[in-house]
Amino acid sequence: MAQPLVKKDDDRDDEVDYSPFLGIEKGAVLQEARVFNDPQLDPRRCSQVITKLLYLLNQGETFTKVEATEVFFSVTKLFQSRDMGLRRMVYVIIKELSPSADEVIIVTSSLMKDMTSKTDMYRANAIRVLCRITDGTLLTQIERYLKQAIVDKNPVVASAALVSGIHLLQTNPEIVKRWSNEVQEAVQSRAALVQFHALALLHQIRQNDRLAVNKLVSSLTRGSVRSPLAQCLLIRYTSQVIRESTNDTQTGDRPFYDFLEGCLRHKAEMVIFEAARAITELNGVTSRELTPAITVLQLFLSSSKPVLRFAAVRTLNKVAMSHPTAVTNCNIDMESLISDQNRSIATLAITTLLKTGNESSVDRLMKQITNFMSDIADEFKIVVVDAIRSLCLKFPLKHRSLMNFLSNILREEGGFEYKKAIVDSIVILIRDIPEAKESGLLHLCEFIEDCEFTYLSTQILHFLGIEGPKTSDPSKYIRYIYNRVHLENATVRAGAVSTLAKFGAMVDGLKPRIFVLLRRCLFDNDDEVRDRATLYLNTLGGDGAVVETDEGVKEFLFGSLDVPLVNLENSLKNYDPSEKAFDINSVPKDVKTQPLAEKKATSKKPTGLGAPPPGPLSTVDAYEKLLSSIPEFASFGKLFKSSAPVELTEAETEYAVNVVKHIFDGHVVFQYNCTNTIPEQLLENVTVIVDVSEAEEFAEVASKPLRQLPYDSPGQTFVAFEKPEGVSAVGKFSNMLRFIVKEVDPSTGEAEDDGVEDEYQLEDLELVAADYMLKVGVSNFRNAWESMGVDFERVDEYGLGPRDSLAEAVNAVINLLGMQPCEGTEVVPPNSRSHTCLLSGVYIGNVKVLVRLQFGLDGPKDVAMKLAVRSEGETVSDAIHEIVASG
Amino acid sequence: MPDTKVRSTGCGSINSCPAVKNILILDSDGKRVAVKYYSDEWPTNSAKLAFEKSLFGRTLKSNARTEAEITIFDSNIVIYKFVQDLHFFITGGDDENELLLATVLQGLFDAIALRLRNTIDKREALENLDVIFLCIDEVVDQGMILETDANAIAGKVAIQNMDASATLSEQGGVKATTYPCSCLGAVMGEGAKTPNFLKFLMTISQALASAREHLTKTLLK
């Protein structure tokens, strides 16, 4: 017999560490679980055994497949008992065991019986369990009951059905969407939680229908939503609607702002906070709109509840980034939070003050921060470091004390992310504040003397190699760098060798001494280190004389690589070792813009929905391979650029066709990707007939038909044109798909012998100037601009006429030119009246082009633009102006 | 818990529906009393244990006894409250409404207090672990907030216990009467002709006897 689980009245004071689960063992509990099979069920005993099983699972114990199945089967027997307490436990354990599909069948009927039971508790729980474990096939059978349950009188039952609906929407959206009438009814429920769940589900069902969400929000904001939770949801949906509608209303009152403002007077703190946060996050929020929200948040700052203080200070911290003046009113309350027991609150208060403070308060704040740096977690330290960096950029005169602070914390204990944040900050300060350079570099040198992170060491060494030689006394850094060669792992040693060589190349006076050091590295036990030392010794003129380094050598060794590394890697992989040496010019320079990876995207993203199809990284290579394999196109030379596919058909038509424009120096090739979506058809001899009457400079030279296009397996057909060499000829092409269609017997899959010739009209295709421009970024636009020189600079001014917004005008010009925006200048801050945008690219013929665009608002809506172009060729600079003038 | 079948909770920040990532109840050594994870952010038991361990170490020193405390931990918001030798935690995404999460934790905490008659400590919790599991089950369903009102939660967990005595007697009666009757009906058809009929009757009377015994046992409890 197992010992009883509950024995409250036993004398237990003598044992200090008494636990009813002391010495519990999986094997024994599994044995005990046999009581589930007893013909005479003892509900109490069974409940206890289930609790023990749950306890084991909770402690991280795992059951083997066989064990789990066995337990599951015996648990199903417990449905015979009518003991409610036991039944509750049965529901819980079934959810925990998460049975497989074939096992679920065993309990389905029992659960369905419970779902229609008169007992509310049975109905609610059976719904939750069934929806949790079912795999969708069952759903149609129980759909009727679920719809009834949604409008059930009992709120627990209704909530259970609604919440299950929310979960099922992920897996079986088409079924759950059929319930919207019932869900709509439940939104009006008097029970608070039912309203909350119904609103959540209704919104999820309609979230892709902007109009419906709009209607939902405007009807509910007028009515009274009872539950605070539902009110929070409504606030979120409302700000979503506001976000999407701001584009149309530039001036005047913001729709729904009054609703948000009204929520600031709600009786639940949760709702007040949600509304205040929503207001602070409005796009281009005005200070008049902000004021009431800031006022309630300020009240929260002096609350006795840490959660409230935290929430308020965190929100104010964010506001301080965009509207520092709006937050200054709270500074007194904020300063008292610096000594808050909760370190997270203190940190947020400090960083907020750093953002809103003035130059005179910096030293006082720094002292306070130093006191508690050791108490807080790395995440908050990073926040502090970031705040200090921006403070330093704001008040460059204070760089000495701030740089000291950074170097002090750099010496203390800390994880990688924290150290990296500090190093990054110092690097930024060195770059932007010239006076801070020497001290900053020395701090970094000291740091690498005792740095456990290889990544940081190599980064710093690289940075030293760039900045060190330009300082007044480069020789003082050599010691730190050469120490690395003795003390570190191979990666750092190799980095140190390169840095040494850079000093040798840049500072001629140091060359003889550097060479001595480099020669010592020739005996390193790592290949890479030896190779680098040998390379540098040979290319820099290994006799060690004080001579000026050849410019070409410098460029070769230390010049920036003008091709993206990903492309280089792919080209090297494809390179076939042969007589022909690898040509770096054959590497495509096109930057593949990758979708910004969301933070923790993998864990948050719902499967199937919204996830962009993983784009093939090496499309350029794939295209290049494909085209060079076709003999007709082999003589066209090197592929300059391939466009993204352009759809030539509507979605869901009989034949889906898109086209990729391949640009060569003297030719253009259109690659038509065709898909046949009719199972009963086989297409043969597929070609595209192109009419070039509106593209006079082009002449068709070759065409490669597609022999067969069976159902649902895409194929390509190509058409090639000749065009004047090196010129960005533009034009419009009308396309007609021509093919022979053959009927296919769906049962056998065999095609008939005779086919009929047929045609299918496709949409027109345009070749525009942007097709001749490669998006190639530069890391430092100003340097690139200055080194390009004024020889071929062309400046002119344009009126762009009335535009919706400055941002829209900027985007239009970027798209027109097809160039790569640099340094984030494509983003126009809201409410700004002027903007400068920097673009770079490579024009056909491999001509580098840089563009500086200055936009200004001229009158209420009219946008004026000044366009300055620098490039490596006069004609190209003129061509850019021509594009804009004609566009 | 071996959540072999991890489903997306459907309540990420994408559709702006509040979501709970986990609820933890640990003892004063950081050992599990009851934990429940709703997010696949911690896929293995060791990842979960590591999270609990570092979270416990981080919050150990703070005083979260009168009011719930809060911190940001691994880009998540964690709200926690200690009582006696028990540490309660709730975790949500870092853009979650802090007060909303705090309400959920408070609801769970108060519900457990109600059910355990205000003596919340590790021993009491372990002895009533079924109550704790049921409370957690009633507060959050796969990450979605189910109920935050302590009385409602405690009520839902209590129904069974209160009703149990009432329905059990009723059930005992039901069992004693209907079950054997249906049995009797079933055997009468073909059983009446068989020589085993008497044997069946014996079985039925035995069943009746045991049912009666069961009934008295529950009544005398």
Side-chain angles (χ1 to χ4, degrees), chain A residues 304-454:
Chain A
S304 64
K305 293 184 192 161
V307 176
L308 222 56
R309 295 199 300 274
F310 178 92
V313 76
R314 195 157 81 113
T315 309
L316 288 171
N317 187 295
K318 279 190 202 129
V319 179
M321 287 188 215
S322 50
H323 298 81
T325 47
V327 186
T328 38
N329 281 340
C330 311
N331 275 5
I332 296 172
D333 306 83
M334 205 76 86
E335 282 196 27
S336 60
L337 289 184
I338 292 179
S339 52
D340 199 297
Q341 285 224 316
N342 185 320
R343 284 296 161 205
S344 314
I345 296 175
T347 316
L348 286 165
I350 277 269
T351 51
T352 315
L353 286 168
L354 286 175
K355 281 170 201 152
T356 58
N358 49 25
E359 198 157 354
S360 57
S361 60
V362 168
D363 289 321
R364 189 164 49 88
L365 283 172
M366 294 312 295
K367 201 175 270 171
Q368 276 169 315
I369 297 173
T370 318
N371 286 337
F372 78 82
M373 264 323 252
S374 54
D375 297 354
I376 56 173
D378 273 10
E379 282 139 297
F380 284 113
K381 288 179 179 167
I382 294 173
V383 175
V384 173
V385 168
D386 288 345
I388 297 217
R389 184 186 59 220
S390 42
L391 189 71
C392 194
L393 293 174
K394 200 160 121 199
F395 306 122
L397 287 178
K398 289 283 170 197
H399 73 84
R400 202 176 305 276
S401 66
L402 295 171
M403 189 66 101
N404 267 335
F405 175 82
L406 289 177
S407 75
N408 282 336
I409 56 172
L410 192 54
R411 277 196 287 270
E412 279 159 22
E413 284 291 298
F416 172 73
E417 290 296 330
Y418 172 45
K419 291 283 158 111
K420 183 168 177 291
I422 304 174
V423 169
D424 287 349
S425 297
I426 294 183
V427 166
I428 289 171
L429 296 184
I430 291 174
R431 222 175 38 206
D432 289 11
I433 306 173
E435 302 83 49
K437 184 189 266 186
E438 303 250 332
S439 69
L441 286 178
L442 277 177
H443 288 316
L444 291 179
C445 281
E446 272 163 32
F447 174 59
I448 54 171
E449 290 277 45
D450 188 23
C451 171
E452 54 185 315
F453 304 109
T454 301

Side-chain angles (χ1 to χ4, degrees), chain A residues 209-219 241 245 256:
Chain A
D209 185 349
R210 224 175 103 178
L211 214 66
V213 173
N214 227 320
K215 233 169 87 186
L216 177 70
V217 165
S218 46
S219 75
V241 169
S245 64
F256 299 118

Side-chain angles (χ1 to χ4, degrees), chain B residues 20-162:
Chain B
V20 176
K21 290 190 179 178
N22 65 41
I23 288 177
L24 314 174
I25 304 176
L26 308 178
D27 71 7
S28 52
D29 297 323
K31 298 265 176 336
R32 281 177 185 173
V33 174
V35 298
K36 184 77 187 146
Y37 285 81
Y38 307 103
S39 154
D40 42 11
E41 208 171 308
W42 302 273
T44 60
N45 189 44
S46 50
K48 289 170 186 163
L49 285 173
F51 175 80
E52 289 158 29
K53 185 161 178 256
S54 52
L55 178 62
F56 181 80
R58 169 80 70 80
T59 54
L60 186 58
K61 277 189 285 177
S62 49
N63 176 26
R65 295 193 180 266
T66 41
E67 291 286 356
E69 280 286 346
I70 180 168
T71 187
I72 289 200
F73 185 71
D74 281 353
S75 303
N76 282 315
I77 288 193
V78 182
I79 294 173
Y80 52 100
K81 191 170 167 71
F82 304 159
V83 61
Q84 301 288 350
D85 50 358
L86 285 182
H87 295 210
F88 288 74
F89 300 88
I90 187 168
T91 308
D94 73 342
D95 50 357
E96 199 45 81
N97 182 331
E98 294 90 344
L99 306 181
L100 197 148
L101 287 175
T103 311
V104 179
L105 183 68
Q106 194 64 43
L108 172 70
F109 185 87
D110 292 346
I112 292 178
L114 277 170
R115 292 303 308 141
L116 300 189
R117 292 184 199 81
N118 283 324
T119 43
I120 312 187
D121 58 23
K122 182 186 172 187
R123 176 179 296 187
E124 204 67 24
L126 282 175
E127 286 193 342
N128 296 289
L129 199 58
D130 49 345
V131 172
I132 308 270
F133 281 137
L134 289 177
C135 282
I136 295 178
D137 186 58
E138 288 298 348
V139 170
V140 176
D141 182 279
Q142 297 178 62
M144 183 80 194
I145 299 167
L146 207 53
E147 179 59 84
T148 57
D149 180 66
N151 285 312
I153 300 164
K156 280 199 254 177
V157 175
I159 284 177
Q160 36 137 347
N161 292 350
M162 281 186 327

Side-chain angles (χ1 to χ4, degrees), chain A residues 787-794 869-874 877:
Chain A
S787 63
M788 186 80 85
V790 292
D791 299 352
F792 304 116
E793 178 167 311
R794 292 287 179 277
V869 188
R870 287 188 185 185
S871 76
E872 292 168 336
E874 192 175 1
S877 292

